[in-house]
Amino acid sequence: MLGSPFLLWLLAVSFLVPRVHPLTPEDFEEGEEDGTLRSPLPAVLCDYDRCRHLQVPCRELQKASPTACLCPGLSSPLQRPSPPRLGEVHVVAEDSSAVVHWCAPSSPVQQYWLLLWEGSGAPQKGPPLNSTIRRAELKGLKPGGTYVVCVVAANSAGESSLPWAGGQGPEGTAGPAFGPCGRLAVPPRPLSLIHAAVGVGTTLALLSCGALVWHFCLRQRCGCPRRAQPEARL
Ligand SMILES: *[C@@H]1O[C@H](CO)[C@@H](O)[C@H](O)[C@H]1NC(C)=O
């Protein structure tokens, strides 16, 4: 009498629980054996990294993938893209260049470009870069210069905004952290440091010579009467 409900409960537990409880590594092993159970659940994320250079858009990965995978959500293509996030900026002092990295926004993007300001000057616009690009090199920077660099994303609805409103220049700020802009400072050339050291050394040497000459001239002028006095006594 008691046996049959218990048996039913045992059956229910043994059949239902492994499919209801959260996925564990054993479930994946089971799932590999009978793949038919798992295929309607495309719980796998596509191999998409918004910060990876030459990253194919996730929608294209999805189309090309033999198994279903999930993409991060994107804003409407009828809206201009959100700003990308500027990542690492690596300055190469030897040839006064910099490599800029960024991450894609959660928006459809057709192209990117970089904007570069030096001090309060007008922005220089870089060439258009296709939507797979996440890294660009800035060449011909001035040694010892400081710049603000911003990355802009664009689609058919417009371009991403910059952290300062109304088209004003960067004015010494690089916007909030994790925004599309950052500062970069190019160190002075090692050669110009040597020049500066030689310059300082030469100046010091000239100053010392000047001081010595001045010192001896003064001594001669003051010494003449002193030397003259003993002569006068003799
Ligand atoms: C994007 O640009 C890169 C580098 O210039 C190039 O290798 C790649 O084929 C381009 N991709 C597309 C989809 O145009």
Side-chain angles (χ1 to χ4, degrees):
M1 296 288 263
L2 261 173
S4 59
F6 180 71
L7 206 68
L8 270 177
W9 177 81
L10 202 71
L11 277 172
V13 164
S14 57
F15 277 91
L16 293 176
V17 166
R19 274 149 192 83
V20 170
H21 75 79
L23 296 178
T24 59
E26 296 95 76
D27 291 323
F28 284 99
E29 281 161 25
E30 277 172 29
E32 275 165 26
E33 281 161 27
D34 52 355
T36 47
L37 261 175
R38 308 206 55 81
S39 54
L41 287 168
V44 185
L45 295 176
C46 301
D47 179 27
Y48 175 83
D49 181 346
R50 67 175 75 239
C51 304
R52 188 192 286 152
H53 185 48
L54 299 179
Q55 171 68 66
V56 173
C58 196
R59 299 290 161 202
E60 285 174 36
L61 288 181
Q62 236 174 4
K63 276 182 218 156
S65 169
T67 57
C69 64
L70 292 176
C71 281
L74 294 183
S75 61
S76 159
L78 302 175
Q79 287 178 331
R80 59 198 195 125
S82 305
R85 183 164 66 78
L86 193 76
E88 191 193 349
V89 177
H90 179 67
V91 178
V92 186
E94 293 83 62
D95 55 0
S96 297
S97 67
V99 181
V100 177
H101 295 84
W102 65 89
C103 299
S106 299
S107 309
V109 174
Q110 277 165 8
Q111 61 178 29
Y112 296 99
W113 62 80
L114 294 181
L115 291 175
L116 185 72
W117 283 263
E118 194 203 352
S120 53
Q124 288 173 271
K125 185 175 169 181
L129 305 165
N130 72 40
S131 65
T132 69
I133 308 274
R134 302 286 185 275
R135 185 175 75 204
E137 194 177 359
L138 296 166
K139 285 182 178 167
L141 302 175
K142 279 185 205 154
T146 53
Y147 297 84
V148 172
V149 62
C150 298
V151 54
V152 178
N155 62 19
S156 51
E159 57 188 68
S160 63
S161 60
L162 293 171
W164 43 85
Q168 291 164 346
E171 283 166 10
T173 63
F178 309 118
C181 299
R183 291 179 143 280
L184 75 96
V186 186
R189 267 188 210 284
L191 206 62
S192 55
L193 281 180
I194 291 169
H195 285 167
V198 168
V200 168
T202 311
T203 311
L204 281 178
L206 284 175
L207 278 177
S208 326
C209 282
L212 280 175
V213 166
W214 181 67
H215 176 75
F216 281 115
C217 282
L218 260 190
R219 250 190 73 172
Q220 251 179 354
R221 250 187 246 159
C222 302
C224 283
R226 249 188 259 149
R227 234 179 271 151
Q229 270 172 359
E231 273 167 26
R233 270 183 209 157
L234 276 170

